[in-house]
Amino acid sequence: MEIGVSSESQSQNETKKGRAKTPRKPKESVLKQKSPAEFFAENKNIAGFDNPGKSLYTTVRELVENSLDSAESISELPVVEITIEEIGKSKFNSMIGLVDRERVDAALYDDYETAKAREKRLAKEARAQEVQTKNAALGKKVKEQSATKGMKGRGEASFYRVTCKDNGKGMPHDDIPNMFGRVLSGTKYGLKQTRGKFGLGAKMALIWSKMSTGLPIEISSSMSGQKYISFCRLDIDIHQNIPHIHLHEKRNNDVRWHGAEIQVVIEGNWTTYRSKILHYMRQMAVITPYAQFLFRFISDAPDKNVTIKFARRTDVMPPVPLETKHHPSSVDLLLIKRLIAETSKQNLLQFLQHEFVNIGKSLAERLVGEMGSEFSPKMAVKSLTDQQIVRIHQLFRQAKFDDPIGDCLSPAGEYNLRLGIIKELHPEMVATYSGSAQVFEGHPFIVEAGVSVGGKDVKQGLNIFRFANRIPLLFEQGADVVTRTALKRINWGSYKINQTQDKIGVFVSIVSTKIPFKGTGKEYIGDDINEIATAVKSAVKQCCIQLKSKIVKRMQAREQQERKRNLSRYIPDATNAVYDVLKHMSQLHASKKKRYAGEEAEILGNITANLITKETLKEKLAEHVEKVDYEMALEYATQSGVTDEPREDIFIQTLEPDNKFVEFQSQKVNCAVEEETVQWQGAAL
C-alpha cells in the first residue's frame, strides 16, 4: 500500500521551511545613558563592594574616615563610635514589613537534604565518633569534633545595622540630601591631601543598602552652635542619581552636640571579615593616636559580642592639609583648559603666576617670551586658541621648574607614629623616621617609617603595616612597594635583626596630593615608581640604623650581665683558694720561717686571729664584683645618653586647680619607654 503526499501538504511544509530559514532583522540600536549611580551600582567592585563581607568592611572604613576628616577639619580631637548590630531574619522582616512564613515545599530550597544525603552524613559522623572514642581509650590526643555546618541557601543572607557617630563639623541642613544621595558630589575635590577623593564613600553604602535590603539611610547632624539637629531619612534614585527623601526635619539639640551620626542597614558577613575589620581599627589607632575609637559588635548571642576601646594617647594633632595649586609639570591639556575657564585673572601673565606653583613674575615673563611672537604678557587668557593652549602644555612639559616644597601636606609625624606603635603593639624597642618632601610627576609626597622589635600580638617575622594619606591598606599586600622593599631590598641581618625569628613590625606611611594607587580598589601602591620606592627604602633603612645601635648596646649589656654571673659563680672556689694561701702564709709568719712586714703582716695577723674568715673574704669578693658591674653600667648609661639623638622639646602647661590630668604612659609600655630613654628637655613649668 502506497502512502501518497498531497501537493497541498507539501507546499505547506515548504512554506514552513522557508520561514525558518528567513534571517531575523536585527533590532535597531537605541542610544542610552547611565547615571553615575547606576554605573557604580552595576560595577560596585570598583568601590570595594565585591561581596557581602567586603561590603561590610568597606562601609565601616568609609564611615570612619569621613568622621576623622570631619573632626580634623575643625581641629577637634576625634571621638568616633562605630557599632555593628547583627539583625536576625525575623527582625529584618519586621523592619521591611514582611510576615514570617513557614516553608511549604522543603525540597524547593537550596539547603534541602535528601534522605540518602542525610544517611550518608550520619554514617560519616558515626565513623568519626568511633575514631574519637578509640583514640581516647588509647590515651591519644583527641581532637575536638567541629560542629556540623548546615547548608546555607543563597537566600539566607545576614543583615547588619552599621552606625557611626562622631564629634566633627557636621553638615548644613540643606546640603545633607545631596551629600548622601547624589553620587560624585562632595567637598573633597581639589588638589589636596585627603582620605577620600571621588565623592563615593557613604553613597556607595547607600547604594549597597538599596540593592541588598531596600532600606533607607538615616543621618543626624548638627553644626557647632546650632540649636537643632538635622534628621534626614533618604535613599537614592539610581537611574536619575538624585536623592529620594523620606523625611527631612529639624529636631531639638538640648545637649548642644555637634557632629554626625549615620545609620545604614546592609547585607554583610561578619564571620569572614571580622579579623579584617578589627585589624583595620587597630591600624587606624596606630596612625591616629590622637583619636579615640569605640568599636562594638552586638549579636543576639551574648558570647559573640565584641567591645573594644582604642584610647587616645596624645592631644597633638597633625596640621590640617592645605589646598595647593597645580605644578606646571603635572597638568594636562584638559586641566589647563579648565583652569583657564575658571580663573579670575584677565591676562596670561597673571594666569601663569597665580594658577600654578613655583612660577614667579620673572619666570612667567620668560615663559611667555619662549612661547612665540603670537603670545604677549597682557593678552587675554580667555582668548587663547586650542593651538596656543597646546603650545603652553608643550612648554610646561619641556621647561625646568623648581620642585614643590610639600608644605601643603600633613603627615602623622614621628611623635604620633611612635606613640601609636607603642600604644597598640607594646614593642621592646621602636625607631621612627620622617623623610623630607620629594616629588613624582609634579606632586609632592612624604614618607614616614617606623620599625619595631617585639610586642604584643605580633607574629614572628615581618609584620607590614601600610598607610596612604593616613589610611590603613589591608588588601593586595604582595605587590605593594612597601612589602617588596621590606622583603627584597633590606638586609635585616646587617642590622642585627633576625628576619625569620624576631617579631618585626614595619610601618610605612605615605602622604601626597596624589597617591598613585594601582587598580580601582585603592588598596596598594605599585612598585614601579622609582622616586617612591627609593624614599621608602631610605626611610626603613634609617629606622634600622637606629635600632642597630640600640641592639648592639643591649648585647653589650647582656654580655656584662653574663660576665657578672660567671664571676659570681667562681667566688666560692676563689675564696677557698685565696684563704688557703693566706692561712699557709700566716703559719710561716708565726713560725718566723718567713717574716712579713707592713700591710701584709697586718693581714696575716688578722687571719691568725680569725678576724678574716672565709665568709668575710667571700663577702669582699662579692662586693668587688658588684662595684665593677655598677661602674660599667654607669659608664654604659652615660654613653647611651650622650650618643642618643636629641629629642623634641616638650612644654608642659602650668598646673591649675581645674586642669584635667592625662595619663601619658601605662604600665604596659613602661619597658618600651625606658628602652627609648625618653628625655624631657626644656620643660616649662
Side-chain angles (χ1 to χ4, degrees):
M1 181 177 180
E2 294 181 0
I3 300 176
V5 179
S6 66
S7 60
E8 184 178 352
S9 61
Q10 195 173 11
S11 62
Q12 287 177 355
N13 290 337
E14 290 176 357
T15 304
K16 289 179 181 178
K17 291 179 181 179
R19 284 177 185 171
K21 290 181 180 179
T22 303
R24 294 182 179 179
K25 292 182 180 180
K27 291 184 179 180
E28 293 184 6
S29 58
V30 180
L31 183 64
K32 295 182 179 180
Q33 292 181 342
K34 286 184 179 180
S35 71
E38 191 175 2
F39 170 80
F40 284 107
E42 294 177 0
N43 302 276
K44 56 186 181 298
N45 60 301
I46 292 177
F49 288 75
D50 306 61
N51 53 64
K54 183 77 177 293
S55 299
L56 180 63
Y57 161 79
T58 306
T59 299
V60 171
R61 169 180 169 171
E62 295 290 353
L63 295 181
V64 168
E65 289 164 10
N66 286 346
S67 294
L68 289 173
D69 283 337
S70 178
E72 290 172 2
S73 66
I74 57 173
S75 299
E76 184 88 14
L77 290 170
V79 178
V80 181
E81 298 178 13
I82 188 82
T83 304
I84 302 176
E85 181 185 354
E86 189 176 23
I87 298 176
K89 181 181 177 182
S90 298
K91 186 175 181 180
F92 175 74
N93 285 346
S94 66
M95 290 172 65
I96 61 176
L98 274 180
V99 178
D100 287 345
R101 178 179 172 82
E102 296 293 332
R103 293 182 179 183
V104 178
D105 186 356
L108 186 63
Y109 296 89
D110 264 354
D111 55 0
Y112 173 71
E113 188 177 29
T114 63
K116 186 177 180 180
R118 183 173 180 274
E119 183 181 349
K120 187 176 179 180
R121 176 175 60 81
L122 291 175
K124 184 179 179 181
E125 291 177 3
R127 287 195 300 270
Q129 183 65 34
E130 186 179 347
V131 172
Q132 293 271 35
T133 306
K134 191 179 293 184
N135 288 340
L138 295 173
K140 296 182 180 179
K141 188 177 180 181
V142 178
K143 292 183 180 178
E144 186 178 349
Q145 193 170 357
S146 58
T148 305
K149 295 182 180 179
M151 295 175 60
K152 187 172 182 180
R154 288 169 295 175
E156 290 188 33
S158 300
F159 301 102
Y160 301 88
R161 179 189 285 115
V162 182
T163 307
C164 185
K165 184 178 181 180
D166 62 64
N167 62 335
K169 181 180 180 181
M171 295 165 280
H173 180 80
D174 296 332
D175 291 345
I176 291 177
N178 283 330
M179 293 180 78
F180 285 88
R182 193 184 297 272
V183 174
L184 301 184
S185 65
T187 59
K188 297 180 181 179
Y189 297 124
L191 195 62
K192 182 180 178 181
Q193 173 196 326
T194 57
R195 290 189 172 94
K197 269 291 186 190
F198 304 125
L200 282 173
K203 305 176 188 67
M204 269 308 303
L206 175 55
I207 290 175
W208 174 244
S209 172
K210 188 175 180 66
M211 294 174 68
S212 59
T213 68
L215 292 172
I217 192 172
E218 294 185 355
I219 306 107
S220 299
S221 175
S222 180
M223 303 185 74
S224 182
Q226 281 185 354
K227 297 181 180 179
Y228 63 87
I229 295 176
S230 302
F231 178 80
C232 187
R233 184 185 297 118
L234 60 87
D235 62 24
I236 186 170
D237 187 325
I238 298 291
H239 301 291
Q240 298 185 47
N241 191 32
I242 57 174
H244 178 213
I245 302 172
H246 297 256
L247 179 64
H248 193 193
E249 63 182 9
K250 296 179 180 179
R251 299 176 176 178
N252 290 334
N253 186 12
D254 298 330
V255 295
R256 292 294 184 266
W257 165 72
H258 65 86
E261 182 177 2
I262 301 167
Q263 189 176 104
V264 60
V265 179
I266 60 172
E267 180 185 349
N269 191 330
W270 167 256
T271 305
T272 56
Y273 273 78
R274 176 183 185 275
S275 60
K276 287 291 185 185
I277 293 173
L278 296 180
H279 199 41
Y280 168 80
M281 294 302 301
R282 188 186 189 195
Q283 289 201 31
M284 187 58 83
V286 169
I287 201 66
T288 54
Y290 52 87
Q292 176 178 305
F293 298 98
L294 178 61
F295 177 84
R296 287 189 295 256
F297 174 76
I298 303 173
S299 173
D300 292 336
D303 58 326
K304 294 183 180 179
N305 289 350
V306 177
T307 300
I308 303 176
K309 182 178 181 180
F310 300 92
R312 180 179 294 118
R313 191 69 172 84
T314 176
D315 58 358
V316 178
M317 292 179 62
V320 178
L322 303 175
E323 188 168 352
T324 185
K325 298 173 183 176
H326 293 275
H327 192 270
S329 61
S330 68
V331 296
D332 53 36
L333 277 172
L334 190 63
L335 181 56
I336 295 175
K337 289 181 179 180
R338 181 169 68 82
L339 292 175
I340 290 173
E342 295 176 355
T343 186
S344 60
K345 303 304 175 184
Q346 300 298 320
N347 58 53
L348 180 58
L349 187 68
Q350 293 175 338
F351 170 74
L352 295 176
Q353 282 182 252
H354 293 91
E355 296 297 336
F356 301 95
V357 295
N358 294 357
I359 297 184
K361 184 176 180 181
S362 60
L363 180 57
E365 291 173 345
R366 292 173 61 192
L367 290 171
V368 173
E370 187 66 21
M371 291 175 189
S373 57
E374 67 271 23
F375 292 87
S376 67
K378 299 297 182 182
M379 69 182 299
V381 69
K382 304 283 187 183
S383 66
L384 289 171
T385 64
D386 290 344
Q387 292 77 12
Q388 290 174 323
I389 294 174
V390 171
R391 180 72 187 101
I392 294 174
H393 180 236
Q394 290 176 346
L395 183 59
F396 279 175
R397 297 188 65 174
Q398 297 168 4
K400 182 175 65 175
F401 300 95
D402 293 336
D403 291 335
I405 58 177
D407 56 352
C408 60
L409 301 178
S410 176
E414 274 193 77
Y415 179 77
N416 281 334
L417 182 58
R418 178 182 293 261
L419 281 181
I421 295 171
I422 293 175
K423 177 172 74 81
E424 294 303 321
L425 271 70
H426 309 295
E428 296 174 11
M429 59 180 71
V430 62
T432 54
Y433 175 79
S434 180
S436 57
Q438 301 187 47
V439 180
F440 79 96
E441 297 180 355
H443 295 277
F445 71 93
I446 293 175
V447 174
E448 296 176 299
V451 178
S452 66
V453 177
K456 184 182 71 172
D457 299 332
V458 182
K459 299 177 182 177
Q460 283 187 333
L462 292 175
N463 298 266
I464 298 173
F465 301 82
R466 303 169 293 134
F467 305 92
N469 279 353
R470 308 210 302 269
I471 296 176
L473 306 179
L474 269 64
F475 294 89
E476 301 184 47
Q477 179 170 308
D480 190 87
V481 61
V482 178
T483 305
R484 289 185 174 271
T485 298
L487 291 175
K488 308 268 185 198
R489 304 188 182 105
I490 304 296
N491 183 6
W492 297 96
S494 63
Y495 302 104
K496 309 296 183 184
I497 299 174
N498 191 317
Q499 183 176 346
T500 56
Q501 295 183 2
D502 290 338
K503 297 178 178 180
I504 310 166
V506 180
F507 304 80
V508 175
S509 172
I510 303 173
V511 295
S512 176
T513 52
K514 180 183 178 182
I515 298 291
F517 289 113
K518 293 290 184 182
T520 56
K522 300 191 299 178
E523 290 293 351
Y524 77 101
I525 301 171
D527 195 34
D528 56 345
I529 301 175
N530 292 330
E531 295 92 339
I532 293 181
T534 302
V536 169
K537 179 181 177 182
S538 175
V540 174
K541 287 182 70 174
Q542 288 296 326
C543 295
C544 291
I545 291 171
Q546 296 177 41
L547 284 180
K548 182 180 178 180
S549 64
K550 297 175 184 178
I551 292 172
V552 169
K553 291 173 185 176
R554 177 173 285 189
M555 291 170 64
Q556 292 173 348
R558 194 177 293 120
E559 289 173 359
Q560 290 174 4
Q561 292 176 356
E562 185 65 26
R563 186 162 48 247
K564 177 185 175 182
R565 280 196 296 268
N566 290 336
L567 289 172
S568 300
R569 188 185 308 154
Y570 293 113
I571 284 177
D573 295 337
T575 300
N576 292 333
V578 173
Y579 188 79
D580 289 343
V581 171
L582 291 176
K583 190 74 173 174
H584 180 67
M585 292 173 63
S586 65
Q587 292 173 356
L588 294 175
H589 180 69
S591 62
K592 299 183 180 181
K593 291 182 179 179
K594 187 173 183 180
R595 302 293 294 179
Y596 296 91
E599 187 176 353
E600 295 174 352
E602 183 181 354
I603 293 174
L604 295 176
N606 290 336
I607 292 288
T608 305
N610 286 329
L611 296 176
I612 297 179
T613 63
K614 285 186 179 181
E615 291 301 322
T616 56
L617 190 59
K618 185 177 180 180
E619 290 176 4
K620 292 294 182 182
L621 285 174
E623 289 177 4
H624 183 71
V625 170
E626 287 289 343
K627 181 180 178 182
V628 170
D629 182 70
Y630 173 77
E631 290 175 350
M632 295 181 70
L634 185 62
E635 182 182 358
Y636 164 74
T638 305
Q639 291 176 353
S640 299
V642 172
T643 57
D644 268 351
E645 295 182 3
R647 305 294 181 182
E648 294 182 4
D649 293 344
I650 299 178
F651 297 93
I652 303 175
Q653 295 180 353
T654 306
L655 296 179
E656 299 290 346
D658 297 334
N659 275 115
K660 294 182 179 179
F661 295 93
V662 179
E663 183 186 0
F664 279 95
Q665 78 180 43
S666 63
Q667 294 179 354
K668 295 181 180 178
V669 298
N670 281 344
C671 57
V673 176
E674 288 172 5
E675 176 60 33
E676 292 304 309
T677 60
V678 178
Q679 299 176 1
W680 297 79
Q681 297 180 351
L685 294 175

